[in-house]
Amino acid sequence: MTYYCSSTFEHALQNLLKKKKHYASVSEEVEHLFKTYSFREIWEMNYFLRQLGDHLRLLKIRLPNKTMQKGKRGGFRLILLLDNRTETCSCLLIYPKVGPQKKGNINDDEELKLLKSFKIEKEKKLLVEKNILV
């Protein structure tokens, strides 16, 4: 599986890492997801927000926040775009459900904005490719 990270994801991750008291485990949680599950297993998770044709899927995956001793319900939300043809996973956004940077669910407009931003970065070859995600 090949991983890409959008600038929106990178920026959000860096902001979370600055708040170590609340979000120190964020890198560990993301890395654990990708070490535990194969592309196929992630693709088949029933967390998708949008099916974009037969080969693209936008997912929202819940991750725990061990720093704040929160399970998946009160942990992080990871927004991914998966491409079934190339087995690529693009991380578009990560945000916490609790703590000083908490955010509610993203709406349709925010989803479309993330997809549009991703498309622009992909066309301009600005996406960051990573072997190990974080």
Side-chain angles (χ1 to χ4, degrees), residues 3-119:
Y3 305 100
Y4 293 97
C5 297
S6 70
S7 61
T8 305
F9 173 84
E10 291 284 339
H11 181 70
L13 182 63
Q14 292 308 313
N15 282 340
L16 292 174
L17 290 172
K18 289 177 186 176
K19 300 282 187 184
K20 291 193 183 299
K21 179 180 175 183
H22 301 284
Y23 309 123
S25 69
V26 66
S27 295
E28 178 185 323
E29 301 304 336
V30 174
E31 189 172 350
H32 181 263
L33 171 75
F34 292 110
K35 285 185 175 179
T36 304
Y37 297 100
S38 69
F39 178 87
R40 181 65 39 212
E41 290 170 320
I42 296 171
W43 175 266
E44 292 173 358
M45 289 179 176
N46 289 327
Y47 302 127
F48 58 91
L49 298 169
R50 292 178 185 265
Q51 182 73 38
L52 305 163
D54 60 346
H55 68 281
L56 290 175
R57 189 173 279 179
L58 187 66
L59 286 92
K60 176 172 70 174
I61 296 180
R62 294 177 175 182
L63 300 174
N65 181 348
K66 291 181 184 168
T67 305
M68 294 181 67
Q69 298 180 346
K70 298 287 183 184
K72 290 181 180 182
R73 177 180 281 177
F76 303 104
R77 300 298 182 265
L78 178 61
I79 308 298
L80 304 173
L81 181 64
L82 300 177
D83 187 332
N84 197 22
R85 292 179 304 184
T86 58
E87 290 198 4
T88 56
C89 176
S90 300
C91 298
L92 303 184
L93 181 64
I94 189 162
Y95 61 92
K97 288 297 283 188
V98 298
Q101 293 184 15
K102 69 181 176 184
K103 178 175 174 35
N105 292 329
I106 65 170
N107 60 36
D108 288 346
D109 289 339
E110 289 172 302
E111 287 176 23
L112 293 173
K113 185 177 176 182
L114 284 172
L115 291 169
K116 186 175 183 179
S117 176
F118 167 80
K119 182 180 178 186

